[in-house]
Amino acid sequence: MEAPCVRVERERGEATRRELAEANLVADDLEIVVEDDWLYVPVTDADAVPDGLPVVERDVPARTTQDTPADLLGFDPSYERLGDIVLVDEDDPERARLVADAIVDSALPVETVLNRASKVKGETRVRDWDVLAGERTTTVHREYGCEFALDVARVYFSPRLATERHRVAEQVDADERAFDMFAGVGPFVIPFAKRGARVVGVDVNEVAVEYLRENARRNGVDDRVTAIRGDVRDVAPEYENWADRLVMNLPHSADEFLDAAVALAGDNCVIHYYDIQHEDDHFGPGERAIRAAAESEYDVSVETRRIVRSYAPHELNVCLDVRLTR
């Protein structure tokens, strides 16, 4: 039948499908079509598709098989895919087992199902997991043409932020000098480098830095990536006045590192500052903190105020794109 479909390159297919699914826009009664190097994802409302995703009309078949976890369960479970690992977040062990069994029995290409057993904790931002199916916690996750090897039990990585990372990466020009202050396995660093930037990534998690180096090699950008294990406040003096672009993705405590950010910033620098705040004033605390840290040396202008996602009841994960001009 004829239906509106988002047309996307195969390498971006899963990230795009996830973005559409989070917005409840995927037409589950129609098949996703693969043709040559393109995916056609049927959508329920063409007008609601995010800007930048092309929508075309084309003939797509109706789904005839019951092969999704929702089909098997009779309800739509919440889960995230990270390579061939599926992450669920269920407090009830019986419900978690039910969801895991449906995921394994579905058509999803899954090796391991994990249930969150703790919040993100500690300086290295890892969490505990209960293994519901499979054994290993290592995988290779693909996102907008980049590959990320990682161990979900030993590093922090959120597949939910794929669209946000892509938004920021598209702003990067070749020959920029970019600095990720909390780099993890490189989900900002690698796409920046693939666009031609020279990138420094710092993280306190030694395992994450090892994966960052591996991922730079895996994606063919190791000549443009410097990976450093340490506290960015200790590293900043080595790169004073260096950066054209800074990423500060450490919600809840990024404000504690603004002095280091100001030291790193060059004469004209964009900071991507991530924060989690109450919905009553979700941008204000971050903006005030940046101005307090930088206005003695820089003109400060906020170029973008963006809600990334809902974090908890009445709390929002937000991003401020802020330009510092000396």
Side-chain angles (χ1 to χ4, degrees):
M1 63 176 290
E2 194 82 5
C5 298
V6 169
R7 181 176 184 262
V8 62
E9 298 94 335
R10 290 184 68 171
E11 64 184 16
R12 294 176 52 201
E14 174 54 28
T16 301
R17 185 207 63 77
R18 187 186 303 114
E19 177 183 359
L20 295 170
E22 288 177 355
N24 294 316
L25 288 173
V26 176
D28 290 329
D29 57 336
L30 299 174
E31 294 282 3
I32 295 175
V33 173
V34 180
E35 188 174 282
D36 298 326
D37 291 327
W38 298 93
L39 255 65
Y40 295 86
V41 184
V43 293
T44 56
D45 183 355
D47 294 333
V49 170
D51 293 340
L53 294 178
V55 177
V56 298
E57 291 283 335
R58 67 158 293 149
D59 189 53
V60 291
R63 283 189 52 223
T64 57
T65 57
Q66 302 294 303
D67 57 1
T68 72
D71 293 330
L72 299 171
L73 289 167
F75 62 87
D76 197 4
S78 175
Y79 61 87
E80 301 171 29
R81 291 176 62 185
L82 190 58
D84 56 8
I85 293 176
V86 171
L87 311 176
V88 299
D89 188 7
E90 297 288 349
D91 293 329
D92 182 345
E94 291 187 8
R95 181 180 166 97
R97 172 56 59 190
L98 185 68
V99 170
D101 289 345
I103 288 169
V104 171
D105 291 340
S106 75
L108 293 179
V110 177
E111 291 293 329
T112 304
V113 182
L114 304 175
N115 189 32
R116 288 179 178 89
S118 76
K119 295 182 177 180
V120 173
K121 59 185 181 178
E123 189 179 45
T124 56
R125 297 186 293 164
V126 297
R127 67 169 90 232
D128 298 327
W129 300 91
D130 290 331
V131 180
L132 302 179
E135 296 179 356
R136 60 177 171 78
T137 56
T138 58
T139 191
V140 176
H141 178 69
R142 293 169 178 82
E143 181 176 296
Y144 288 101
C146 301
E147 290 188 353
F148 301 101
L150 60 102
D151 184 341
V152 70
R154 303 180 71 192
V155 303
Y156 175 81
F157 190 100
S158 174
R160 292 183 180 181
L161 299 179
T163 302
E164 172 62 16
R165 290 190 283 262
H166 183 61
R167 179 191 73 87
V168 173
E170 286 194 311
Q171 301 177 38
V172 174
D173 294 323
D175 300 324
E176 273 191 13
R177 296 189 298 189
F179 198 111
D180 189 341
M181 297 173 65
F182 319 102
V185 303
F188 284 101
V189 171
I190 301 305
F192 286 10
K194 290 190 78 169
R195 291 179 67 89
R198 285 179 289 161
V199 194
V200 176
V202 177
D203 204 284
V204 296
N205 185 337
E206 183 175 3
V207 176
V209 172
E210 290 173 359
Y211 273 114
L212 172 55
R213 294 185 180 121
E214 177 183 341
N215 291 330
R217 292 189 294 269
R218 177 182 288 270
N219 288 275
V221 295
D222 48 312
D223 60 328
R224 294 194 291 279
V225 170
T226 301
I228 301 173
R229 190 241 177 169
D231 187 315
V232 70
R233 290 169 292 199
D234 298 329
V235 176
E238 302 174 36
Y239 289 89
E240 188 172 350
N241 196 33
W242 184 85
D244 303 313
R245 188 176 304 275
L246 290 167
V247 177
M248 301 185 70
N249 187 18
L250 191 68
H252 291 304
S253 55
D255 59 321
E256 299 173 14
F257 296 83
L258 280 168
D259 288 346
V262 171
L264 290 164
D267 292 342
N268 188 358
C269 179
V270 173
I271 298 179
H272 304 282
Y273 179 91
Y274 291 87
D275 201 3
I276 292 173
Q277 294 291 344
H278 193 275
E279 62 186 5
D280 289 346
D281 186 19
H282 42 284
F283 295 121
E287 182 173 344
R288 290 190 289 272
I290 294 169
R291 290 190 181 279
E295 280 192 327
S296 63
E297 297 182 45
Y298 291 91
D299 289 332
V300 178
S301 59
V302 180
E303 298 187 338
T304 304
R305 296 175 177 88
R306 173 177 167 81
I307 297 174
V308 178
R309 58 173 174 158
S310 175
Y311 177 75
H314 308 296
E315 289 191 322
L316 298 173
N317 183 190
V318 301
C319 180
L320 293 167
D321 296 345
V322 180
R323 185 173 296 277
L324 305 185
T325 307
R326 198 182 299 277

CSV table of all heavy atoms in Angstrom, one decimal, residues 67-70 72-73 77-81 85-88 96-114 132-133:
chain,number,residue,atom,x,y,z
A,67,ASP,N,6.4,-10.5,14.9
A,67,ASP,CA,7.8,-10.8,15.1
A,67,ASP,C,8.5,-9.7,16.0
A,67,ASP,O,9.7,-9.7,16.2
A,67,ASP,CB,8.6,-10.9,13.8
A,67,ASP,CG,8.5,-9.7,12.9
A,67,ASP,OD1,7.8,-8.7,13.3
A,67,ASP,OD2,9.1,-9.7,11.8
A,68,THR,N,7.7,-8.7,16.5
A,68,THR,CA,8.3,-7.8,17.4
A,68,THR,C,8.0,-8.1,18.9
A,68,THR,O,7.0,-8.9,19.1
A,68,THR,CB,7.7,-6.3,17.2
A,68,THR,OG1,6.4,-6.3,17.6
A,68,THR,CG2,7.8,-6.0,15.7
A,69,PRO,N,8.8,-7.6,19.8
A,69,PRO,CA,8.4,-7.9,21.2
A,69,PRO,C,7.0,-7.5,21.6
A,69,PRO,O,6.3,-8.2,22.3
A,69,PRO,CB,9.5,-7.1,22.0
A,69,PRO,CG,10.7,-7.0,21.1
A,69,PRO,CD,10.1,-6.9,19.7
A,70,ALA,N,6.6,-6.4,21.0
A,70,ALA,CA,5.2,-5.9,21.3
A,70,ALA,C,4.2,-6.9,20.8
A,70,ALA,O,3.2,-7.1,21.5
A,70,ALA,CB,5.0,-4.5,20.7
A,72,LEU,N,4.5,-10.1,20.6
A,72,LEU,CA,4.5,-11.3,21.4
A,72,LEU,C,4.0,-11.0,22.8
A,72,LEU,O,3.4,-11.9,23.4
A,72,LEU,CB,5.9,-11.8,21.5
A,72,LEU,CG,6.5,-12.2,20.1
A,72,LEU,CD1,8.0,-12.6,20.3
A,72,LEU,CD2,5.8,-13.4,19.5
A,73,LEU,N,4.1,-9.8,23.3
A,73,LEU,CA,3.7,-9.5,24.6
A,73,LEU,C,2.3,-9.0,24.7
A,73,LEU,O,1.6,-9.1,25.8
A,73,LEU,CB,4.6,-8.4,25.2
A,73,LEU,CG,6.1,-8.9,25.6
A,73,LEU,CD1,6.9,-7.7,25.8
A,73,LEU,CD2,6.1,-9.8,26.8
A,77,PRO,N,6.8,-2.8,25.2
A,77,PRO,CA,7.8,-2.7,26.3
A,77,PRO,C,8.8,-1.6,26.0
A,77,PRO,O,9.1,-1.2,24.8
A,77,PRO,CB,8.5,-4.0,26.3
A,77,PRO,CG,8.4,-4.5,24.9
A,77,PRO,CD,7.1,-4.0,24.3
A,78,SER,N,9.4,-1.0,27.0
A,78,SER,CA,10.4,0.0,26.8
A,78,SER,C,11.8,-0.7,26.8
A,78,SER,O,12.1,-1.4,27.8
A,78,SER,CB,10.4,1.0,28.0
A,78,SER,OG,11.4,1.9,27.9
A,79,TYR,N,12.6,-0.5,25.8
A,79,TYR,CA,13.9,-1.0,25.7
A,79,TYR,C,14.8,-0.2,24.8
A,79,TYR,O,14.3,0.6,24.0
A,79,TYR,CB,13.9,-2.5,25.3
A,79,TYR,CG,13.4,-2.7,23.9
A,79,TYR,CD1,14.2,-2.7,22.8
A,79,TYR,CD2,12.0,-3.1,23.7
A,79,TYR,CE1,13.6,-2.9,21.5
A,79,TYR,CE2,11.5,-3.3,22.5
A,79,TYR,CZ,12.3,-3.2,21.4
A,79,TYR,OH,11.8,-3.4,20.1
A,80,GLU,N,16.1,-0.4,24.9
A,80,GLU,CA,17.0,0.3,24.0
A,80,GLU,C,18.0,-0.7,23.4
A,80,GLU,O,18.3,-1.7,24.1
A,80,GLU,CB,17.9,1.3,24.8
A,80,GLU,CG,17.1,2.4,25.5
A,80,GLU,CD,18.0,3.2,26.4
A,80,GLU,OE1,19.3,3.3,26.2
A,80,GLU,OE2,17.5,3.7,27.5
A,81,ARG,N,18.3,-0.5,22.2
A,81,ARG,CA,19.3,-1.4,21.5
A,81,ARG,C,20.6,-0.7,21.4
A,81,ARG,O,20.8,0.4,21.1
A,81,ARG,CB,18.8,-1.7,20.1
A,81,ARG,CG,17.5,-2.6,20.1
A,81,ARG,CD,17.0,-2.8,18.7
A,81,ARG,NE,18.0,-3.5,17.9
A,81,ARG,CZ,17.8,-3.8,16.6
A,81,ARG,NH1,16.7,-3.4,16.0
A,81,ARG,NH2,18.7,-4.4,15.9
A,85,ILE,N,23.1,-5.9,21.9
A,85,ILE,CA,22.6,-6.0,23.2
A,85,ILE,C,21.3,-5.1,23.4
A,85,ILE,O,21.2,-4.1,22.8
A,85,ILE,CB,23.7,-5.4,24.2
A,85,ILE,CG1,24.9,-6.3,24.2
A,85,ILE,CG2,23.1,-5.3,25.6
A,85,ILE,CD1,26.0,-5.8,25.1
A,86,VAL,N,20.4,-5.7,24.1
A,86,VAL,CA,19.1,-4.9,24.4
A,86,VAL,C,19.1,-4.6,25.9
A,86,VAL,O,19.3,-5.5,26.7
A,86,VAL,CB,17.9,-5.7,24.0
A,86,VAL,CG1,16.6,-5.0,24.5
A,86,VAL,CG2,17.8,-5.8,22.5
A,87,LEU,N,18.8,-3.4,26.2
A,87,LEU,CA,18.8,-2.9,27.6
A,87,LEU,C,17.3,-2.6,28.0
A,87,LEU,O,16.6,-1.9,27.3
A,87,LEU,CB,19.6,-1.6,27.7
A,87,LEU,CG,21.0,-1.6,27.1
A,87,LEU,CD1,21.6,-0.2,27.2
A,87,LEU,CD2,21.9,-2.6,27.8
A,88,VAL,N,16.9,-3.2,29.1
A,88,VAL,CA,15.6,-2.9,29.6
A,88,VAL,C,15.7,-2.3,31.0
A,88,VAL,O,16.8,-2.3,31.6
A,88,VAL,CB,14.7,-4.2,29.6
A,88,VAL,CG1,14.5,-4.8,28.2
A,88,VAL,CG2,15.3,-5.3,30.6
A,96,ALA,N,10.5,-8.2,34.0
A,96,ALA,CA,11.8,-8.2,33.3
A,96,ALA,C,12.0,-9.5,32.5
A,96,ALA,O,12.4,-9.4,31.3
A,96,ALA,CB,12.9,-7.9,34.2
A,97,ARG,N,11.8,-10.6,33.2
A,97,ARG,CA,12.0,-11.9,32.5
A,97,ARG,C,11.0,-12.1,31.3
A,97,ARG,O,11.4,-12.6,30.3
A,97,ARG,CB,11.8,-13.0,33.5
A,97,ARG,CG,11.8,-14.4,33.0
A,97,ARG,CD,13.0,-14.7,32.2
A,97,ARG,NE,14.2,-14.6,33.0
A,97,ARG,CZ,15.4,-14.6,32.5
A,97,ARG,NH1,15.6,-14.7,31.2
A,97,ARG,NH2,16.5,-14.5,33.3
A,98,LEU,N,9.8,-11.7,31.5
A,98,LEU,CA,8.8,-11.8,30.4
A,98,LEU,C,9.2,-10.9,29.2
A,98,LEU,O,9.1,-11.4,28.1
A,98,LEU,CB,7.4,-11.3,31.0
A,98,LEU,CG,6.2,-11.4,30.0
A,98,LEU,CD1,5.9,-12.9,29.8
A,98,LEU,CD2,5.0,-10.6,30.6
A,99,VAL,N,9.7,-9.7,29.5
A,99,VAL,CA,10.1,-8.9,28.4
A,99,VAL,C,11.3,-9.4,27.7
A,99,VAL,O,11.4,-9.5,26.5
A,99,VAL,CB,10.4,-7.4,28.9
A,99,VAL,CG1,11.1,-6.6,27.9
A,99,VAL,CG2,9.1,-6.8,29.4
A,100,ALA,N,12.3,-9.9,28.5
A,100,ALA,CA,13.5,-10.5,27.9
A,100,ALA,C,13.2,-11.7,27.0
A,100,ALA,O,13.8,-11.9,26.0
A,100,ALA,CB,14.5,-10.9,29.0
A,101,ASP,N,12.3,-12.6,27.5
A,101,ASP,CA,12.0,-13.8,26.7
A,101,ASP,C,11.3,-13.3,25.4
A,101,ASP,O,11.6,-13.9,24.3
A,101,ASP,CB,11.0,-14.6,27.5
A,101,ASP,CG,11.7,-15.4,28.6
A,101,ASP,OD1,12.9,-15.4,28.7
A,101,ASP,OD2,10.9,-15.9,29.5
A,102,ALA,N,10.5,-12.3,25.4
A,102,ALA,CA,9.8,-11.8,24.2
A,102,ALA,C,10.9,-11.2,23.2
A,102,ALA,O,10.8,-11.4,22.0
A,102,ALA,CB,8.8,-10.8,24.5
A,103,ILE,N,11.8,-10.5,23.8
A,103,ILE,CA,12.9,-9.9,22.9
A,103,ILE,C,13.7,-11.0,22.3
A,103,ILE,O,14.0,-11.0,21.1
A,103,ILE,CB,13.8,-9.0,23.8
A,103,ILE,CG1,13.0,-7.7,24.1
A,103,ILE,CG2,15.1,-8.7,23.0
A,103,ILE,CD1,13.7,-6.9,25.2
A,104,VAL,N,14.1,-12.0,23.0
A,104,VAL,CA,14.8,-13.2,22.4
A,104,VAL,C,14.0,-13.9,21.4
A,104,VAL,O,14.6,-14.3,20.3
A,104,VAL,CB,15.3,-14.1,23.6
A,104,VAL,CG1,15.9,-15.4,23.0
A,104,VAL,CG2,16.3,-13.4,24.5
A,105,ASP,N,12.7,-14.1,21.6
A,105,ASP,CA,11.9,-14.8,20.7
A,105,ASP,C,11.5,-14.0,19.5
A,105,ASP,O,10.9,-14.5,18.5
A,105,ASP,CB,10.6,-15.3,21.4
A,105,ASP,CG,10.9,-16.4,22.4
A,105,ASP,OD1,12.0,-17.0,22.3
A,105,ASP,OD2,10.1,-16.6,23.3
A,106,SER,N,11.7,-12.7,19.5
A,106,SER,CA,11.3,-11.8,18.4
A,106,SER,C,12.4,-11.9,17.3
A,106,SER,O,13.4,-12.6,17.3
A,106,SER,CB,11.2,-10.4,18.9
A,106,SER,OG,12.5,-9.8,19.1
A,107,ALA,N,12.1,-11.0,16.2
A,107,ALA,CA,13.1,-11.0,15.1
A,107,ALA,C,14.2,-10.1,15.3
A,107,ALA,O,15.1,-9.9,14.4
A,107,ALA,CB,12.3,-10.6,13.8
A,108,LEU,N,14.3,-9.5,16.5
A,108,LEU,CA,15.5,-8.6,16.7
A,108,LEU,C,16.8,-9.3,16.7
A,108,LEU,O,16.8,-10.4,17.3
A,108,LEU,CB,15.3,-7.9,18.1
A,108,LEU,CG,14.1,-6.9,18.3
A,108,LEU,CD1,14.1,-6.3,19.7
A,108,LEU,CD2,14.3,-5.7,17.3
A,109,PRO,N,17.8,-8.8,16.1
A,109,PRO,CA,19.1,-9.5,16.2
A,109,PRO,C,19.8,-9.2,17.5
A,109,PRO,O,20.6,-8.3,17.7
A,109,PRO,CB,19.9,-8.8,15.0
A,109,PRO,CG,19.3,-7.4,14.9
A,109,PRO,CD,17.8,-7.6,15.3
A,110,VAL,N,19.6,-10.1,18.5
A,110,VAL,CA,20.0,-9.9,19.9
A,110,VAL,C,20.9,-11.0,20.3
A,110,VAL,O,20.6,-12.2,20.0
A,110,VAL,CB,18.7,-9.9,20.8
A,110,VAL,CG1,19.1,-9.7,22.2
A,110,VAL,CG2,17.8,-8.7,20.4
A,111,GLU,N,21.9,-10.7,21.0
A,111,GLU,CA,22.8,-11.7,21.7
A,111,GLU,C,22.6,-11.7,23.2
A,111,GLU,O,22.8,-12.7,23.8
A,111,GLU,CB,24.3,-11.4,21.3
A,111,GLU,CG,24.6,-11.7,19.9
A,111,GLU,CD,24.5,-13.1,19.5
A,111,GLU,OE1,24.8,-14.0,20.4
A,111,GLU,OE2,24.2,-13.5,18.4
A,112,THR,N,22.4,-10.5,23.8
A,112,THR,CA,22.3,-10.3,25.2
A,112,THR,C,21.2,-9.4,25.6
A,112,THR,O,20.9,-8.4,24.9
A,112,THR,CB,23.6,-9.8,25.8
A,112,THR,OG1,24.7,-10.6,25.3
A,112,THR,CG2,23.6,-9.7,27.3
A,113,VAL,N,20.5,-9.7,26.7
A,113,VAL,CA,19.5,-8.8,27.2
A,113,VAL,C,19.9,-8.5,28.7
A,113,VAL,O,20.1,-9.4,29.5
A,113,VAL,CB,18.0,-9.4,27.2
A,113,VAL,CG1,17.0,-8.4,27.8
A,113,VAL,CG2,17.6,-9.8,25.8
A,114,LEU,N,19.9,-7.2,29.0
A,114,LEU,CA,20.4,-6.8,30.3
A,114,LEU,C,19.3,-5.9,30.9
A,114,LEU,O,18.6,-5.1,30.2
A,114,LEU,CB,21.6,-6.0,30.2
A,114,LEU,CG,22.9,-6.6,29.6
A,114,LEU,CD1,24.0,-5.6,29.5
A,114,LEU,CD2,23.3,-7.8,30.3
A,132,LEU,N,19.8,-11.2,31.7
A,132,LEU,CA,18.6,-11.9,31.5
A,132,LEU,C,18.7,-12.9,30.4
A,132,LEU,O,18.0,-13.9,30.4
A,132,LEU,CB,17.4,-11.0,31.3
A,132,LEU,CG,17.1,-10.0,32.4
A,132,LEU,CD1,15.9,-9.1,32.0
A,132,LEU,CD2,16.9,-10.6,33.7
A,133,ALA,N,19.6,-12.7,29.4
A,133,ALA,CA,19.8,-13.6,28.3
A,133,ALA,C,21.2,-13.4,27.8
A,133,ALA,O,21.7,-12.2,27.8
A,133,ALA,CB,18.7,-13.4,27.2
